[in-house]
């Protein structure tokens, strides 16, 4: 089955700096890659997603890149703010109806004011 | 904006007892899921459900687990005889068709 690796496990940046989180996946049939943000004790919230027919997607300060050949995808957060502090999970799915999400192990991002 | 809701928010039970976790998916969604997250770990898939049938289940979802859609709005996860290792946050999710899954706020289950 699918295996998703995520790095780093923790990341501390100064407010205003950029943060990059990287994930690799194993199943070449995966073609949908969402990123979720989870604040302490809260539900995972989708922040951005990308499909395999797209190499990059951007939404304001957040961008995701996908390299399907290398089976890796990354989350980029620019101009970080303290409210970006949370745990970020990448996930992968085959993208068919009802397909499960396989999550990475999470990255705890701390943005220092 | 519609959201997935879950009850209860917290559940404490004794080992061996049955628990039922309840979810109300977003109303026009057709696909339903249960995931769990042991404290400090990643979110793990348990089961997916469509058209009143289980679509897929993980190795975690053994005979002690069952799911049901008892009416047009609720989606439940039952654990028949809880074990200490069942202590976790359980998330329900739903999706309209494929792709985007929306998560509920979770039920924190503690088995003593």
């Amino acid at each position: 089955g699918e295996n998703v690796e995520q790095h780093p496990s923790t990341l501390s940046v100064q407010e205003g700096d950029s943060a990059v989180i990287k994930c690799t996946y194993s199943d070449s049939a995966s073609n949908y890659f969402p990123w979720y943000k989870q604040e302490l004790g809260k539900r995972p919230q989708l922040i951005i997603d990308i499909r395999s027919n797209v190499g990059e997607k951007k939404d304001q300060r957040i961008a995701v890149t996908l390299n399907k050949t290398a089976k890796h995808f990354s989350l980029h957060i620019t101009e970080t703010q303290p409210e970006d502090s949370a745990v970020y999970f990448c996930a992968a799915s085959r993208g068919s109806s009802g397909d499960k999400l396989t999550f990475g192990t999470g990255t705890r991002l701390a943005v220092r004011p | 904006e519609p959201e997935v809701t879950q009850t209860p928010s917290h559940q404490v039970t004794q080992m061996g007892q049955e628990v039922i976790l309840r979810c109300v998916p977003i109303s026009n969604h057709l696909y339903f899921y249960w995931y769990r997250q042991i404290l400090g770990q990643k979110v793990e898939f348990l089961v997916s459900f469509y058209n009143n049938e289980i679509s897929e289940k993980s190795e975690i979802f053994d005979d002690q687990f069952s799911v049901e859609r008892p009416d047009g709005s609720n989606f439940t996860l039952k654990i028949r005889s809880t074990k200490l290792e069942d202590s976790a946050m359980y998330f329900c999710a739903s999706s309209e068709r494929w792709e985007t899954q929306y998560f509920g706020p979770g039920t924190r289950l503690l088995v003593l």
Side-chain angles (χ1 to χ4, degrees):
Chain A
E2 174 70 281
N3 183 49
V4 178
E5 301 282 342
Q6 183 172 347
H7 299 281
S9 57
T10 59
L11 180 59
S12 179
V13 300
Q14 193 70 39
E15 181 177 0
D17 287 350
S18 295
V20 180
I21 302 170
K22 298 182 178 182
C23 289
T24 60
Y25 61 98
S26 61
D27 186 354
S28 56
S30 289
N31 60 13
Y32 173 64
F33 307 94
W35 286 87
Y36 286 83
K37 175 183 179 183
Q38 187 179 31
E39 296 176 22
L40 190 62
K42 302 279 185 69
R43 74 184 80 195
Q45 295 264 23
L46 179 73
I47 56 171
I48 196 167
D49 56 13
I50 191 167
R51 298 167 187 76
S52 61
N53 58 344
V54 174
E56 183 173 356
K57 183 177 177 181
K58 190 173 182 181
D59 182 4
Q60 300 183 343
R61 296 187 296 108
I62 294 172
V64 57
T65 60
L66 171 65
N67 183 328
K68 213 166 183 325
T69 303
K71 294 186 192 163
H72 66 71
F73 55 112
S74 301
L75 178 71
H76 304 252
I77 306 173
T78 58
E79 301 172 26
T80 53
Q81 300 166 3
E83 51 265 39
D84 294 330
S85 297
V87 179
Y88 291 81
F89 289 97
C90 63
S93 166
R94 292 190 169 190
S96 297
S97 295
D99 271 352
K100 67 183 180 187
L101 295 173
T102 301
F103 283 84
T105 47
T107 296
R108 183 173 300 279
L109 174 64
V111 180
R112 305 187 303 274
Chain B
E1 183 175 330
E3 288 188 331
V4 177
T5 60
Q6 289 184 243
T7 54
S9 58
H10 295 79
Q11 175 94 46
V12 181
T13 190
Q14 295 291 323
M15 190 169 56
Q17 294 297 302
E18 174 183 287
V19 295
I20 298 176
L21 311 182
R22 291 183 168 79
C23 168
V24 179
I26 295 172
S27 62
N28 62 332
H29 286 188
L30 301 176
Y31 299 88
F32 315 118
Y33 315 82
W34 284 100
Y35 293 84
R36 80 171 186 190
Q37 185 178 33
I38 295 171
L39 189 63
Q41 298 186 21
K42 67 178 177 180
V43 178
E44 299 175 289
F45 169 76
L46 292 177
V47 66
S48 58
F49 191 86
Y50 169 72
N51 199 26
N52 283 320
E53 289 184 345
I54 290 175
S55 304
E56 184 178 2
K57 57 184 180 179
S58 72
E59 293 175 352
I60 303 168
F61 194 88
D62 61 22
D63 292 344
Q64 294 301 313
F65 291 87
S66 63
V67 289
E68 192 179 30
R69 188 153 164 83
D71 53 44
S73 59
N74 289 283
F75 179 51
T76 62
L77 174 69
K78 181 193 290 186
I79 310 175
R80 288 187 184 81
S81 178
T82 49
K83 303 187 282 268
L84 295 176
E85 54 264 38
D86 293 329
S87 295
M89 179 76 95
Y90 288 80
F91 291 105
C92 173
S94 70
S95 63
E96 187 174 354
R97 37 190 184 90
W98 61 297
E99 298 183 350
T100 307
Q101 294 183 24
Y102 295 91
F103 282 73
T107 294
R108 185 170 295 284
L109 176 65
L110 178 60
V111 182
L112 302 175

